[in-house]
Amino acid sequence: AMVWLRMLGILGDVTKIPHPMELEQVMKQIEKIWINLEKIEHNSAVAVGKDGSSDLPPFLPPLLLFLSWTLCGCGPSEGYLATRLVSYELLCRTVIRRWIINPPFSKMMYFYHAMVWLRMLGILGDVTKIPHPMELEQVMKQIEKIWINLEKIEHNSAVAVGKDGSSDLPPFLPPLLLFLSWTLCGCGPSEGYLATRLVSYELLCRTVIRRWIINPPFSKMMYFYHAMKESLHDTNTEVLCTVIRHASCMFVYSLPSSTLLVDDAVMACSRVLKEQGPKVPRYETLVLLGSLLFQSPNEMDKVISMVMKSACNEQTIESRCLALHQLGLLVFHAVSTGHNLHQIDDVIQIVITSAHFVDETVAMTAIDVINLWYSIATKFTDHHTKVIIQGVSYATSCCLKGGETVPSSPSVLIALFMTFRDWITTTPISWLQQAHIPVLLQMLEGAMTPNWGSFLPVLTPPSTTVELSPIHLSKSLQHTSSGGSRHVPFDSIDALDPVQATAKSIIPHLNIMVNHYPLLCGPAQYTSSVNEIHDYPSLGHHDNFTLDTLQNSHMQFLLLNNSSILSVSEHGMTADEMPTSSSLVANGNRVRLIARCSTGRFSWDVRSLSLTSEEQHTATQRDNTAWLQDNEQQDLIDGCQDNVFAEVDPPSLSLSVSLDQPPSYSTFSEGDILDQLLMYIGGTSEECLQHDGQLLNQPAPCPSIEREDEDEERLLSELLEQEEINELGFWKDACYHQNMLSEPVKLELHESFPLCPFGSCRQLISQLGWLDWHKRSKVDLLQKSDQLIRQVKFLDRSTPQCRQIYKVAVLYVAHDMENQKTILTNEKGSKMFEEFVSALGWEVNLGTHKGYMGGLSQEFAQHMTAPYYATVSEEVLFHVSTRMKCALNQKIRHLGNDEIHIVWSEHYRDYHRSVFKTQFAGVLIIIYPLPSGLCRVHIIKKPKVPQFGPLYDGALVPFECLGGLVRATAINACLRINRHTGLDQRGRYNERQLGINHLTQSCKLLSSFEEFGVSLIHPCYQESQHSSDNSASMHGHHGNLKGVRPAESVQELSPGPPGHGRRRANTFSGVSSKRGGEEELSRSLKEESIKIEQYESSPKLSRNK
């Protein structure tokens, strides 16, 4: 302190010397002093301790004491050139040397700033003084390239991370505002400098409209706002379009006092949208208007009207799709948050009309918007829900009819069918029965019919119509159609017509899902998890289901309508499954039906219940007594005496039937119990009524017969009169005689149900009507083989849920996280991030989760949780980086394989793709929360990915509705990425139906009606027949002719024990005469005769006689 600091400090601030020559001499003397101080430091003795260790010299001169003077001397001033040269020489001597102790970073920062940025760039001087316009334009373009490189340097600057994990700003930030004065001067109006002005405005927007690490000084922003205001009111259209093109995110970055330009920006956007030509920045104009939808309440109505007009009349596909997405955002925000939007009816009508627009891209965008609204369908009013469903049905009908004003691609029709189906699942059942379900079924029938014109319903268009202008400036958005013409001929099951396959898959979907989704177990459990061996403890896992198990069990596989696989199995009932009522008894075993269709796998457990013997006898006596004591029978007979053919009213019955429980013999007192039961069914289940407003117990009106021939009428009257006399006499004689009444039927109820092991299954199949002869063509057997089991297992594993599945990665980037390791090792996020994650879906425990796991096994994710979301057609699982408790390499593998990355960034710099390096991640949805409560959305996608929504690059949305919008955007992005694998569909029904078709083709067993019936009596008959007569089946003995009746000669020559001859006759029911059937038949008859003779001569038969 006494030697160095005070001795040198007496010089004071030498840079204030006014004379250049004196200052130069002073700086030279200071340089000599510094050289002497450096020699002193070099010759300083090192202190050596007693143990031999050395330490630094105790008196080191302060060589950095002159750094402030040298930096001041380096500043540009007129007449001080010699001083600047001496100062730069001293600056290099002071810093560029070998240091015993590294100098403080605060001193080095000033050194680098002075040596690299200011001096290196300051040598250009004032470029605005270049007199030639073309040269000035070239200089400004080169300056713009320099600025872009400086921005990259700032973006790639490393952050200094301390030992405690805290980070600081990058030490060497380039002065990006250094060119601001040049750009402001270049923006000034001058004749002949239009190209320079355009480049200057572009560089000005690049310089200021960006995300700043440190907010620029307001003195600089003041000049920027003045220049922008002048440009927005400029009469030159090129200047206005250039500013709008590069300032579309002006209000997105929350620059200080940027709302001062809201009115000017709205007026400028209105001018740009009225311009014509391919170079007009229409898309950027709509992005600028979209940033004002949620932060400018004063101009909101004007902005909404401009967006609605653009959605109807925009000339480019890209801008019209963006306008539709913005309208979808408006309705989603208003409905989900409860805000009032008085233009909601007009917005809904515009979107619905666009759903059948002639351009496929516009139509698919409108359908995506309607699917976005489906996620909040329960929050819409009844009126708006009806309008949307009726609009979608009308759009679907228009696409089915075809024409020049509707899209010709099957992708649009498929998407409309899927959307109509999804909205119907959220509609009350009363609405569906009135109009929507019949309309949809009629359209599906039309879609499945080659000539569908006569099947299409006649729908009235909406009351309010919107006219859409055609698109003149078509721009390719890589949204090519995945299908060809409306109907494509196909010869194999692999070439399914996409529209027909979709229509066939929707019908079972409606049958199962309408008014039933979600089930009580939650939306994750879509189909049944029960399989054929579920109740076999010895087998356990589904992999143990083998051919031996199938042949030795009471199980049969059936094929219904060539589209559904039904397995019927019989299981014994445990004590817990027995009925608890004392008046009921269970007959037989429990029957399990497992149906596999294009919608999924579903199972039913069926038990046969009946009354006990005592209850049945009491009920029969009560029924007979009530019939005999009916006082109104005599009045009915008297009425018949007058006119037998007069319309007879039914007996007056008591209409006071309780609908709380069905009538039974225990509660029956008077009247006809069958009539009361029919009244109960009609009152509780209106869908069972055969005629509207007519109860089931009312007789149907007699059909009218037109008699034109008088002779025929006379003959009929005579016959009827004779029949009247005979019937009336019989009625009088026999009506009240007790001996004419039938005895009560005595049913022998057996607790053990003494039938064959498959008896309960056959009884149920018979009650379902599948054993009728006229339904023989719709029900077939499946051959029990290893191939059948293998394909059934593959069907259950490949598409078990039949819903489209997506997995999405969610990353959290804090303010101090710079690389992949720090981001993925973090296990906690901010409060705002956790609220955002909770809005993406429902938090589920992956260890017990029954739905889609996103590629994770339950053993691996035993103690993990994740957001999960599901609808009737989709499942989404979000891999959140802070929730995955696993090693870093495993986390990188699972997150890196996801095609969609959602990044929540709270860092002061923008997130870029190089932070998480992966060959996947085709789309990055980056979210930056702003202090205003809004969130800025930045989307990075690969070039081959088409446009998607509802969020877009540069969107500004409220945080309260961010979760649903990001989820819908991620789903649509997945659909666009997977477009090359198939049609843009929401669901895997066609894929599953294709697997069922393969199974049908390979395992379908052609059999006669008799063989079919025998197989249902004894399931093992099928295996015994085809194993013993395998050679005969090769010649057409079994199943070549479906439904062929057995030969009478075979039945006559088959006497034998009961059932023996019939069983052998069934064996020959499928003999084909075209393949030597007569010879085979005669040989089989000889073998049959020999077996009969052996049987009749056996001693066992003699004892049984």
Side-chain angles (χ1 to χ4, degrees), residues 66 95 139 223 410 496 500 561 792 906:
F66 307 107
V95 179
V139 170
Y223 293 106
L496 290 177
Q500 291 183 358
N561 297 322
V792 166
E906 298 177 0

Side-chain angles (χ1 to χ4, degrees), residues 253-292:
Y253 292 99
S254 298
L255 297 175
S257 304
S258 61
T259 55
L260 294 172
L261 299 175
V262 170
D263 296 338
D264 304 299
V266 173
M267 292 180 60
C269 291
S270 178
R271 288 178 53 194
V272 172
L273 291 177
K274 293 178 182 179
E275 297 292 333
Q276 304 292 331
K279 296 184 179 180
V280 178
R282 300 183 177 277
Y283 185 87
E284 292 79 5
T285 304
L286 289 174
V287 172
L288 181 59
L289 290 175
S291 62
L292 300 175

Side-chain angles (χ1 to χ4, degrees), residues 222-516:
M222 181 174 58
Y223 293 106
F224 166 74
Y225 290 140
H226 177 72
M228 293 300 295
K229 188 177 182 66
E230 293 292 333
S231 64
L232 292 176
H233 292 275
D234 201 305
T235 57
N236 193 317
T237 306
E238 294 187 30
V239 174
L240 179 60
C241 292
T242 300
V243 172
I244 294 296
R245 182 179 291 107
H246 298 283
S248 59
C249 297
M250 184 192 312
F251 306 103
V252 172
Y253 292 99
S254 298
L255 297 175
S257 304
S258 61
T259 55
L260 294 172
L261 299 175
V262 170
D263 296 338
D264 304 299
V266 173
M267 292 180 60
C269 291
S270 178
R271 288 178 53 194
V272 172
L273 291 177
K274 293 178 182 179
E275 297 292 333
Q276 304 292 331
K279 296 184 179 180
V280 178
R282 300 183 177 277
Y283 185 87
E284 292 79 5
T285 304
L286 289 174
V287 172
L288 181 59
L289 290 175
S291 62
L292 300 175
L293 289 175
F294 302 106
Q295 64 173 349
S296 180
N298 297 330
E299 300 288 338
M300 188 172 181
D301 292 340
K302 187 183 297 184
V303 173
I304 292 176
S305 63
M306 295 173 63
V307 175
M308 292 171 59
K309 186 177 180 180
S310 299
C312 298
N313 303 323
E314 260 307 314
Q315 301 179 11
T316 61
I317 298 176
E318 187 179 17
S319 55
R320 187 173 292 196
C321 293
L322 177 60
L324 289 174
H325 285 312
Q326 290 174 345
L327 295 180
L329 293 178
L330 276 173
V331 174
F332 185 89
H333 174 260
V335 175
S336 60
T337 59
H339 289 77
N340 184 21
L341 182 64
H342 60 274
Q343 302 98 332
I344 185 171
D345 294 330
D346 298 333
V347 172
I348 291 176
Q349 195 59 49
I350 291 174
V351 174
I352 290 176
T353 307
S354 301
H356 56 91
F357 188 66
V358 64
D359 184 79
E360 179 192 356
T361 306
V362 176
M364 293 297 293
T365 301
I367 295 171
D368 289 342
V369 172
I370 299 175
N371 287 323
L372 169 67
W373 297 342
Y374 165 70
S375 61
I376 54 171
T378 56
K379 297 184 179 181
F380 278 91
T381 61
D382 295 344
H383 168 69
H384 292 149
T385 303
K386 289 183 178 180
V387 169
I388 293 175
I389 294 179
Q390 291 175 357
V392 174
S393 63
Y394 179 75
T396 308
S397 177
C398 292
C399 292
L400 274 174
K401 293 178 182 178
E404 297 180 355
T405 60
V406 296
S408 59
S409 172
S411 300
V412 178
L413 186 56
I414 291 173
L416 284 172
F417 271 132
M418 296 287 187
T419 303
F420 197 5
R421 177 207 62 190
D422 293 346
W423 273 91
I424 279 181
T425 56
T426 61
T427 307
I429 194 67
S430 58
W431 297 3
L432 301 180
Q433 292 177 345
Q434 294 175 2
H436 302 308
I437 282 291
V439 170
L440 179 57
L441 292 178
Q442 196 170 357
M443 287 190 295
L444 293 174
E445 185 179 2
M448 291 186 295
T449 306
N451 299 322
W452 64 88
S454 59
F455 292 92
L456 296 181
V458 180
L459 300 179
T460 58
S463 57
T464 58
T465 58
V466 178
E467 294 184 1
L468 302 181
S469 301
I471 294 177
H472 301 289
L473 304 176
S474 179
K475 185 177 179 180
S476 177
L477 296 180
Q478 298 175 357
H479 200 293
T480 57
S481 173
S482 300
S485 60
R486 169 62 179 82
H487 281 284
V488 181
F490 56 93
D491 298 328
S492 63
I493 60 175
D494 293 328
L496 290 177
D497 179 77
V499 178
Q500 291 183 358
T502 304
K504 291 180 180 179
S505 66
I506 290 178
I507 293 178
H509 180 96
L510 293 175
N511 185 33
I512 296 169
M513 288 299 133
V514 171
N515 210 32
H516 290 89

Side-chain angles (χ1 to χ4, degrees), residues 417-645:
F417 271 132
M418 296 287 187
T419 303
F420 197 5
R421 177 207 62 190
D422 293 346
W423 273 91
I424 279 181
T425 56
T426 61
T427 307
I429 194 67
S430 58
W431 297 3
L432 301 180
Q433 292 177 345
Q434 294 175 2
H436 302 308
I437 282 291
V439 170
L440 179 57
L441 292 178
Q442 196 170 357
M443 287 190 295
L444 293 174
E445 185 179 2
M448 291 186 295
T449 306
N451 299 322
W452 64 88
S454 59
F455 292 92
L456 296 181
V458 180
L459 300 179
T460 58
S463 57
T464 58
T465 58
V466 178
E467 294 184 1
L468 302 181
S469 301
I471 294 177
H472 301 289
L473 304 176
S474 179
K475 185 177 179 180
S476 177
L477 296 180
Q478 298 175 357
H479 200 293
T480 57
S481 173
S482 300
S485 60
R486 169 62 179 82
H487 281 284
V488 181
F490 56 93
D491 298 328
S492 63
I493 60 175
D494 293 328
L496 290 177
D497 179 77
V499 178
Q500 291 183 358
T502 304
K504 291 180 180 179
S505 66
I506 290 178
I507 293 178
H509 180 96
L510 293 175
N511 185 33
I512 296 169
M513 288 299 133
V514 171
N515 210 32
H516 290 89
Y517 181 84
L519 302 177
L520 296 178
C521 55
Q525 194 69 17
Y526 179 80
T527 59
S528 176
S529 58
V530 177
N531 53 48
E532 282 75 11
I533 59 173
H534 186 78
D535 289 339
Y536 289 93
S538 59
L539 298 178
H541 197 264
H542 194 34
D543 293 337
N544 295 330
F545 186 32
T546 60
L547 181 60
D548 295 337
T549 306
L550 177 61
Q551 292 178 350
N552 297 329
S553 60
H554 306 145
M555 188 182 306
Q556 191 63 270
F557 277 87
L558 304 177
L559 180 64
L560 305 180
N561 297 322
N562 289 326
S563 61
S564 301
I565 301 172
L566 181 71
S567 67
V568 188
S569 58
E570 191 166 324
H571 303 264
M573 289 190 295
T574 61
D576 299 335
E577 298 175 342
M578 292 298 177
T580 57
S581 176
S582 59
S583 61
L584 296 176
V585 61
N587 296 336
N589 297 324
R590 173 168 48 88
V591 179
R592 170 165 297 167
L593 301 177
I594 299 180
R596 292 174 175 88
C597 61
S598 60
T599 310
R601 179 176 63 182
F602 308 94
S603 63
W604 295 266
D605 281 355
V606 185
R607 291 174 296 177
S608 177
L609 301 179
S610 61
L611 295 173
T612 59
S613 303
E614 295 79 7
E615 291 289 335
Q616 182 70 19
H617 182 69
T618 304
T620 304
Q621 288 183 345
R622 188 185 296 123
D623 190 15
N624 293 335
T625 304
W627 187 84
L628 289 174
Q629 295 178 356
D630 192 352
N631 297 325
E632 296 182 1
Q633 290 292 335
Q634 186 62 36
D635 297 337
L636 180 61
I637 296 174
D638 296 338
C640 293
Q641 291 176 355
D642 298 334
N643 188 5
V644 175
F645 300 100

Side-chain angles (χ1 to χ4, degrees), residues 493 559 781-785 787-788 790-792 995-1005:
I493 60 175
L559 180 64
L781 294 172
L782 291 178
Q783 186 175 2
K784 296 181 179 180
S785 60
Q787 186 178 9
L788 172 64
R790 184 169 58 253
Q791 293 192 10
V792 166
I996 294 177
N997 292 347
H998 278 290
L999 190 148
T1000 302
Q1001 189 185 48
S1002 59
C1003 301
K1004 182 177 180 180
L1005 181 62

